[in-house]
Amino acid sequence: MRKHLRQGRAWHESDSARLHATSPVFHAGDVAAPALIIHGDAARTVPVEHGRRMAKALAGIGRPQEYLALADAGQDLGNASHRLHFLATHLGPDAQH
């Protein structure tokens, strides 16, 4: 069994089937509702590339999606200014509905 290093963690080829079965990007066709994917570019638990791949997978099959990358935001979007900016942009009086 070959061992690989991915995202700084070791995993085995035998994990590939499980990873494929549980990764949302391989199940984009199951998404029926429009998707809003918000990802902080400083996230460490899930790399920002995962959010980009999901948006690309949805767009590739014609599912409505919007990808929003937040500069200097971590996984939990804990910076209040990011949340306020998002709310003002998408729900404020000047937001396009």
Side-chain angles (χ1 to χ4, degrees):
M1 182 181 318
R2 290 175 45 196
K3 190 175 183 179
H4 301 273
L5 190 63
R6 184 176 272 183
Q7 301 295 325
R9 299 180 194 163
W11 64 281
H12 296 275
E13 283 184 357
S14 62
D15 292 336
S16 291
R18 181 182 56 79
L19 293 171
H20 190 276
T22 58
S23 175
V25 76
F26 295 112
H27 301 281
D30 296 337
V31 176
L36 173 60
I37 301 167
I38 304 171
H39 209 120
D41 68 0
R44 294 186 304 196
T45 304
V46 178
V48 70
E49 184 55 36
H50 289 220
R52 290 184 189 127
R53 273 192 249 149
M54 187 64 190
K56 185 176 179 179
L58 290 168
I61 58 170
R63 298 292 198 269
Q65 58 78 34
E66 182 177 342
Y67 176 76
L68 178 63
L70 298 179
D72 301 318
Q75 191 70 27
D76 62 356
L77 307 177
N79 185 327
S81 67
H82 290 118
R83 292 192 303 273
L84 292 172
H85 173 74
F86 175 80
L87 292 172
T89 301
H90 295 281
L91 301 175
D94 297 327
Q96 295 182 5
H97 301 281

